[in-house]
């Protein structure tokens, strides 16, 4: 079985959260690709969303995790890119539905909104739920480009 | 004082929620622009996100509210459009921060995730909070296009 590679990227508000989720993913046997940032110095979230888009669209990673203070800015930036479907989640039910209905390939999280245990449950739901497929959902995902 | 026009759009999962928020907005003195859908017949969320983008970018509305089951699909679709900054929120703190930091012009909500009273509080925060501005936030919003 091919091991899935999960890319992670965050701004300065999320770099510690990113480190914790990276360790969690590795403990579960996933490969990770860390796109930064790696410290508290102020950076611009769109730059890290763009790096994620390159990793996902280019095939370097099959899934991604994006983190900023609320998850909002970085998910807007990621969704500017066709082929990226970034789902901002604050609880695991939405993470499951984002996979089942929207075939989301990036999970966006807000490090100043939710705690790391909720984030890990979101991530587990996101990585272990399949796209439901079917004509209806596939047609809608197709319209996203 | 010019009255702000708020556009509303949803898929079939959100049309009743949309009606409730529309009445709430009108009771608060806002003009509304209802872009549908208006019944339980199954429709595709990207079509309604596209209609919202036309209303916001074209200037028919100054702000928008988008609703689907989770808010995820419709916010991904809306954020495909430059000039649209759709913030998916499940609580008012994020709605406030989406205005202060991201200058969000569309609030996305999940009708199957949050209840209408939380949604109204999100909407109030979204409509009454100004963009903080400043070089840092403006530069990042500028990078979103």
């Amino acid at each position: 079985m091919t091991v899935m590679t999960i890319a992670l990227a965050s701004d300065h508000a999320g770099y510690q959260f990113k480190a914790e989720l990276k360790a969690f993913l590795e403990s579960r046997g996933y490969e990770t690709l860390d796109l930064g940032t790696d410290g508290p110095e102020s950076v611009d979230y769109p730059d890290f969303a763009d790096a994620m888009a390159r990793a996902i669209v280019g095939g370097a990673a099959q899934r991604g995790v994006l983190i900023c203070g609320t998850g909002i800015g970085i998910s807007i930036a990621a969704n500017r890119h066709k082929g990226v479907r970034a789902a901002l989640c604050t609880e695991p039910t939405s993470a499951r539905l984002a996979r089942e209905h929207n075939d989301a390939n990036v999970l966006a999280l807000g490090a100043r909104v939710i705690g790391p245990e909720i984030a890990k449950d979101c991530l587990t739901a996101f990585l272990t739920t399949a796209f439901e497929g079917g004509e209806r959902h596939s047609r809608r995902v197709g319209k996203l480009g």
Side-chain angles (χ1 to χ4, degrees), chain A:
Chain A
M1 194 182 89
T2 312
V3 175
M4 208 188 285
T5 298
I6 317 295
L8 300 106
S10 73
D11 73 357
H12 51 285
Y15 81 96
Q16 289 167 309
F17 214 81
K18 175 168 65 63
E20 189 163 347
L21 294 181
K22 183 180 174 183
F24 174 76
L25 286 167
E26 290 172 354
S27 77
R28 295 296 188 279
Y30 293 100
E31 296 280 347
T32 61
L33 173 64
D34 191 340
L35 303 169
T37 189
D38 298 313
E41 297 77 22
S42 182
V43 294
D44 294 348
Y45 54 78
D47 299 339
F48 293 86
D50 292 350
M52 176 62 72
R54 286 192 293 274
I56 294 287
V57 174
Q62 287 73 58
R63 301 274 173 82
V65 181
L66 285 174
I67 310 159
C68 70
T70 58
I72 290 170
I74 208 161
S75 63
I76 293 173
N79 285 321
R80 289 286 191 255
H81 298 270
K82 291 203 170 196
V84 175
R85 292 176 298 281
L88 175 56
C89 296
T90 56
E91 31 64 36
T93 303
S94 289
R96 171 177 62 78
L97 289 166
R99 288 289 310 136
E100 288 179 352
H101 294 181
N102 309 114
D103 198 15
N105 50 16
V106 171
L107 176 68
L109 300 167
R112 292 172 178 163
V113 176
I114 63 168
E117 291 301 319
I118 302 287
K120 289 174 192 170
D121 283 350
C122 289
L123 192 45
T124 298
F126 176 71
L127 293 174
T128 60
T129 306
F131 178 45
E132 206 175 279
E135 198 276 331
R136 190 169 48 119
H137 293 313
S138 298
R139 182 183 66 242
R140 292 166 189 164
V141 170
K143 286 185 179 183
L144 298 176

